[in-house]
């Protein structure tokens, strides 16, 4: 493919602020069509990207070579399956599916059709997580004993929308949303999980999906992950606190890429993923500590990987099988929260 035409399903927050700008900034990709019925959004995609706005997913098939699914969670499986059955490789925003088995079915379908299937787990390319992985690989922390990771926000007044008010049928709530990232990072860093414990609550009036959740993982190698996700954190904790046998890494503040995308900064602009010095993390022990320059965030690497996989036939940037593992942990966490037990995996 000289130029890969991309059809984007959905132009809400994910489509407008994450996928569309990254697609446009990736050599070899062109945003050709967007599925949205909203008249304001239809005008925006035409004016900003020169893309065709269509009302229904089947209208994409003749307009694109790649389908990106950024629609509400409950539609991910059906739209991805339809695209694969129409011969289109697919990118699906997280979560890939409600359950690990439904995700496996999509993976099997993609393999049967000989098509790429990948998942937008963009937080693998957060600058702070890239920094942490490098420190671990270099042995700077020794053996990792405990991984503490948080996505905590202060949103006492609900924003509304299906993520908060849609119930289980919408696959909403923080465990599927932010938890998909936190669990994925824990698995990438520390490997398979053998035990899962979860506490999950709904704290705000009018909200029906979890908005304050804690997940504890025991990894097969013995390390433990403790993951917090909350909309009711008036005093957010550190983004990372990672304790090792030789030292610790402490990091506050979120990766800069999301805020810059929301502000309209082009993801290929110089310095897009660079974090200011005030946000750098600290490595060391109580006796000796020093700041660690945060690796540049690299969300563009995901779509560069997509373009390379389609052009050269290589592996996708995110193996969908690895996301099946994430969903298996999410399922175990939901069971744990409901029955108040530790759930053992495999």
């Amino acid at each position: 493919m000289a130029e890969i035409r991309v059809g984007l399903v959905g132009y809400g927050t994910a489509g407008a602020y994450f996928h569309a700008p990254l697609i446009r900034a990736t050599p070899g990709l062109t945003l050709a069509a967007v599925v949205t019925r909203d008249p304001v959004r239809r005008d925006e995609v035409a004016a900003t990207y020169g893309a065709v706005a269509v009302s229904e997913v089947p209208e994409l098939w003749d307009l694109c070579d790649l389908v990106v699914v950024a629609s509400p969670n409950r539609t991910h499986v059906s739209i991805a399956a339809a695209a694969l059955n129409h011969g289109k490789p697919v990118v699906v925003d997280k979560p890939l599916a409600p359950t690990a088995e439904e995700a496996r079915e999509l993976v099997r379908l993609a393999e049967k059709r000989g098509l790429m299937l990948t998942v937008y787990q963009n937080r693998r390319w957060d600058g702070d997580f890239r920094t942490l992985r490098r420190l671990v690989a270099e042995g700077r922390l020794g053996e990792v004993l405990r991984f503490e990771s948080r996505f905590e926000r202060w949103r006492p007044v609900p924003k509304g929308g299906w993520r908060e008010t849609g119930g289980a049928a919408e696959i909403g709530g923080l465990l599927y949303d932010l938890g998909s990232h936190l669990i994925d990072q824990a698995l990438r860093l520390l490997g398979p999980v053998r035990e899962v414990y979860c506490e999950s609550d709904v704290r705000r009036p009018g909200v029906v999906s979890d908005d304050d959740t804690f997940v504890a993982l025991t990894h097969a190698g013995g390390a433990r992950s403790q993951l917090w996700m909350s909309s009711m954190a008036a005093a957010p904790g550190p983004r990372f606190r990672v304790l090792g046998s030789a030292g610790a890494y402490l990091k506050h503040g979120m990766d800069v890429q999301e805020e810059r995308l929301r502000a309209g900064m082009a993801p290929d602009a110089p310095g897009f993923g660079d974090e200011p010095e005030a946000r750098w993390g600290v490595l060391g022990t109580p006796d000796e500590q020093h700041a660690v320059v945060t690796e540049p965030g690299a969300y563009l690497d995901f779509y560069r990987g997509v373009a390379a996989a389609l052009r050269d036939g290589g592996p996708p940037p995110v193996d969908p099988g690895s996301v099946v593992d994430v969903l298996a942990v999410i399922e175990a966490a939901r069971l744990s929260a409901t029955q108040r037990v530790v759930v053992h995996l495999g």
Side-chain angles (χ1 to χ4, degrees), residues 28-89:
L29 300 183
T30 297
L31 185 59
V34 177
V35 179
T36 178
R37 299 188 184 94
D38 184 286
V40 174
R41 293 174 179 176
R42 292 171 71 92
D43 291 343
E44 182 179 332
V45 299
T48 305
Y49 299 100
V52 176
V54 299
S55 299
E56 304 293 340
V57 173
E59 297 177 68
L60 286 181
W61 307 144
D62 294 330
L63 300 174
C64 69
D65 309 300
L66 166 69
V67 173
V68 174
V69 182
S71 49
N73 291 351
R74 61 178 169 78
T75 68
H76 286 186
V77 171
S78 61
I79 293 174
L84 292 168
N85 282 320
H86 279 84
K88 307 296 180 182

Side-chain angles (χ1 to χ4, degrees), residues 156-172:
V157 179
K159 297 172 64 176
W162 60 267
R163 293 184 188 276
E164 295 180 332
T165 63
E170 294 287 351
I171 319 169

Side-chain angles (χ1 to χ4, degrees), residues 62-331:
D62 294 330
L63 300 174
C64 69
D65 309 300
L66 166 69
V67 173
V68 174
V69 182
S71 49
N73 291 351
R74 61 178 169 78
T75 68
H76 286 186
V77 171
S78 61
I79 293 174
L84 292 168
N85 282 320
H86 279 84
K88 307 296 180 182
V90 181
V91 172
V92 185
D93 206 323
K94 56 79 195 166
L96 174 59
T99 67
E101 183 52 37
E102 288 173 278
R104 290 187 193 98
E105 290 176 2
L106 281 179
V107 173
R108 287 192 287 264
L109 176 60
E111 291 173 346
K112 178 181 178 181
R113 299 301 302 264
L115 296 166
M116 184 200 72
L117 170 67
T118 191
V119 186
Y120 185 66
Q121 294 283 170
N122 60 305
R123 296 293 179 173
R124 296 187 185 187
W125 287 270
D126 276 2
D128 48 20
F129 186 63
R130 296 182 71 215
T131 303
L132 175 58
R133 293 197 74 176
R134 176 176 60 81
L135 294 174
V136 171
E138 292 173 352
R140 305 283 293 281
L141 283 81
E143 179 188 358
V144 176
L145 308 174
R146 186 178 305 276
F147 173 55
E148 298 178 7
S149 177
R150 294 170 174 85
F151 279 168
E152 294 181 321
R153 301 162 172 169
W154 176 236
R155 293 179 178 171
V157 179
K159 297 172 64 176
W162 60 267
R163 293 184 188 276
E164 295 180 332
T165 63
E170 294 287 351
I171 319 169
L174 293 187
L175 182 57
Y176 274 112
D177 184 18
L178 304 181
S180 292
H181 291 308
L182 296 177
I183 293 167
D184 182 69
Q185 289 183 338
L187 295 182
R188 302 286 70 72
L189 189 71
L190 297 172
V193 168
R194 57 182 172 86
E195 292 181 354
V196 180
Y197 171 74
C198 179
E199 299 169 1
S200 187
D201 294 286
V202 178
R203 301 295 192 185
R204 297 171 296 168
V207 173
V208 299
S209 300
D210 69 289
D211 60 2
D212 186 21
T213 296
F214 167 75
V215 178
L217 309 177
T218 302
H219 295 266
R224 297 183 185 273
S225 291
Q226 296 178 326
L227 315 174
W228 289 264
M229 57 217 79
S230 179
S231 297
M232 287 298 293
R239 175 68 186 90
F240 292 131
R241 191 175 79 122
V242 188
L243 307 181
S245 60
Y249 177 63
L250 181 66
K251 175 70 171 64
H252 290 269
M254 295 295 295
D255 177 86
V256 298
Q257 293 173 95
E258 177 175 350
E259 65 187 70
R260 289 175 177 169
L261 285 170
R262 287 178 177 271
M265 186 176 184
D268 55 350
F272 169 79
D274 295 346
E275 186 174 74
E277 184 175 350
R279 294 198 195 184
W280 291 353
V282 175
L283 175 70
T285 68
D287 298 322
E288 182 180 357
Q289 297 181 345
H290 65 273
V292 177
V293 179
T294 303
E295 297 277 342
Y299 287 175
L300 261 180
D301 282 1
F302 174 83
Y303 271 107
R304 287 171 177 157
V306 168
L310 294 177
R311 182 183 63 245
D312 305 327
V318 173
D319 177 0
S322 69
V323 180
V324 173
D325 296 336
V326 173
L327 290 166
V329 173
I330 289 176
E331 285 186 86

